[in-house]
């Protein structure tokens, strides 16, 4: 006769993850070899990776909550997800950062061509020198 549960059981104790960066780095290094020689996968192609990279970026900056849920109808799917998260998403993020940086540099270059005048310093050099003399040497300017 099977054991029947007649009352609510206490919750299970939380087991914290035992994250080991060496294991992750080892998996990242082995994954391309594993895909090539141990699976039938010949090419991994992903769409909208830029959107996923942007979501990861927002999540890391604590702007959004992010949950990645998936099913594995095929036993090779975890390898594809590893390739997506460890290689394709970082590539898309680097490409987006490079495009943003070049766009920013182009904007700054366009602003700089407006005239030959040097921008005024944010701090008056004479006032900065006087302040330095006052604080470090106790000197005061002589009015006269």
């Amino acid at each position: 006769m099977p054991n029947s549960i007649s009352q609510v059981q206490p919750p299970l104790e939380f087991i914290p993850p035992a994250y080991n960066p060496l294991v992750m780095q080892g998996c990242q290094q082995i994954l391309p070899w594993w895909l090539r020689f141990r699976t039938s996968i010949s090419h991994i192609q992903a769409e909208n990776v830029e959107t996923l990279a942007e979501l990861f970026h927002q999540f890391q900056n604590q702007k959004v909550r992010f949950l990645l849920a998936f099913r594995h109808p095929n036993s090779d799917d975890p390898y594809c997800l590893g390739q997506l998260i460890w290689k394709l998403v970082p590539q898309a993020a680097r490409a987006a950062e490079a495009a943003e940086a070049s766009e920013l540099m182009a904007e700054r270059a366009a602003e700089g061509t407006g005239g030959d005048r040097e921008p005024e310093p944010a701090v008056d050099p004479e006032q900065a020198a006087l302040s330095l003399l006052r604080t470090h040497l106790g000197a005061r300017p002589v009015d006269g």
Side-chain angles (χ1 to χ4, degrees), residues 1-78:
M1 178 184 246
N3 294 337
S4 64
I5 299 175
S6 60
Q7 61 185 8
V8 175
Q9 300 293 314
L12 296 174
E13 184 179 323
F14 175 72
I15 302 172
Y19 174 73
N20 186 343
L22 293 176
V23 172
M24 188 184 83
Q25 288 175 353
C27 290
Q28 288 175 336
Q29 296 297 321
I30 291 172
L31 183 64
W33 177 86
W34 191 270
L35 285 170
R36 188 173 301 124
F37 297 111
R38 300 293 252 164
T39 66
S40 60
I41 299 171
S42 62
H43 180 70
I44 296 176
Q45 181 179 342
E47 296 177 5
N48 298 325
V49 181
E50 298 82 13
T51 305
L52 187 57
E54 177 60 29
L55 285 171
F56 269 110
H57 180 71
Q58 290 176 7
F59 174 71
Q60 289 173 343
N61 290 331
Q62 298 180 348
K63 292 182 179 179
V64 297
R65 289 192 248 177
F66 182 55
L67 174 67
L68 183 63
F70 44 84
R71 290 194 236 169
H72 299 298
N74 187 330
S75 61
D76 291 336
D77 285 352

